[in-house]
Amino acid sequence: MPQRIGILGGAFDPPHNAHVAMAEAAIAQFGLDALRVIPTGDAWHKPRDLSSGAHRAEMARLAFAHLSKVSIDEIELLRQGPSYTIDTLRALQKQTPEAQFFLFIGEDQGKALGTWREIEEIAQRAIICVAEREMPGMSVPDVPNHDIPTQVLKLPHLPHSATQVRARVAQGQAIDNLVPEPVALYIQRHHLYLPDR
């Protein structure tokens, strides 16, 4: 059997409990041998500047430290210029050409797959798995507006977002129930997400 390797990319600015739940669900539901968590490099598609790659990679290490199958991969942080999923996938497949890759993305990304650079090649190189949060009273999932084959990653309903975490920190509010404890301590120690004085 080929090794089953998952890829979970994102800004992780900061990583929060929904990210951790996604990693745990991916490993369990798809029987992964390994999961590469990949902080975004040059996020050309983000409307704001991200925290430094060093901070985001270290927070990711803290957030996922309890999961033995997870490793933090800085491949995109080390790459010059805009970061595209297809480039990352090609590079990872050169490292382990016999592996079966699974690409895990959120619901919003899933609906926009048709706009991704070289999405057809991505779909050939990896099984694309779209996270679907179980919403109370929701019976019919949204149908993505593209023809790219995907599978569903079932997640508990966790309405956390990194935007929410950053806003709470800026307002001096607690984030203990939104992020893993080591991440909350790291944010506090390094004075991240505080408003400019």
Side-chain angles (χ1 to χ4, degrees), residues 44 84-87 113-122:
W44 53 271
Y84 295 105
T85 299
I86 185 60
D87 298 326
L113 270 180
T115 67
W116 282 34
R117 174 182 286 239
E118 301 188 56
I119 184 58
E120 291 83 5
E121 183 179 341
I122 291 174

Side-chain angles (χ1 to χ4, degrees), residues 7 38 75-76 79 84-97 101 117-122 124-126:
I7 300 169
I38 303 178
I75 185 172
E76 292 195 359
R79 181 184 299 145
Y84 295 105
T85 299
I86 185 60
D87 298 326
T88 300
L89 194 50
R90 287 170 181 157
L92 293 177
Q93 287 192 315
K94 279 186 181 176
Q95 294 174 15
T96 48
F101 283 89
R117 174 182 286 239
E118 301 188 56
I119 184 58
E120 291 83 5
E121 183 179 341
I122 291 174
Q124 290 171 355
R125 289 178 175 269

Side-chain angles (χ1 to χ4, degrees), residues 4-9 22-23 25-27 29-32 35 85 89 100-111 113 116 119 122-123 125-133 144 146 148-155:
R4 297 165 71 87
I5 300 177
I7 300 169
L8 177 57
M22 191 170 175
I27 291 167
Q29 291 177 35
F30 289 87
L32 300 181
L35 177 64
T85 299
L89 194 50
Q100 170 65 70
F101 283 89
F102 296 80
L103 177 65
F104 296 95
I105 60 176
E107 285 175 287
D108 292 345
Q109 294 169 308
K111 291 172 188 170
L113 270 180
W116 282 34
I119 184 58
I122 291 174
R125 289 178 175 269
I127 295 170
I128 302 171
C129 307
V130 182
E132 184 182 284
R133 297 184 189 186
H146 56 71
I148 307 302
T150 60
Q151 295 191 23
V152 173
L153 172 66
K154 289 283 187 189
L155 286 182

Side-chain angles (χ1 to χ4, degrees), residues 18-85:
H19 289 136
V20 176
M22 191 170 175
E24 291 171 341
I27 291 167
Q29 291 177 35
F30 289 87
L32 300 181
D33 297 301
L35 177 64
R36 301 275 188 93
V37 169
I38 303 178
T40 302
D42 180 356
W44 53 271
H45 57 292
K46 290 279 186 184
R48 62 178 189 87
D49 289 335
L50 298 178
S51 300
S52 76
H55 279 318
R56 293 184 291 114
E58 188 55 35
M59 286 189 288
R61 285 188 191 90
L62 294 169
F64 299 100
H66 66 292
L67 297 172
S68 62
K69 293 187 176 181
V70 171
S71 61
I72 310 304
D73 192 327
E74 298 188 28
I75 185 172
E76 292 195 359
L77 296 177
L78 300 173
R79 181 184 299 145
Q80 298 295 313
S83 229
Y84 295 105
T85 299

Side-chain angles (χ1 to χ4, degrees), residues 113 141 157 163 197:
L113 270 180
H157 179 55
T163 303
R197 302 198 183 283

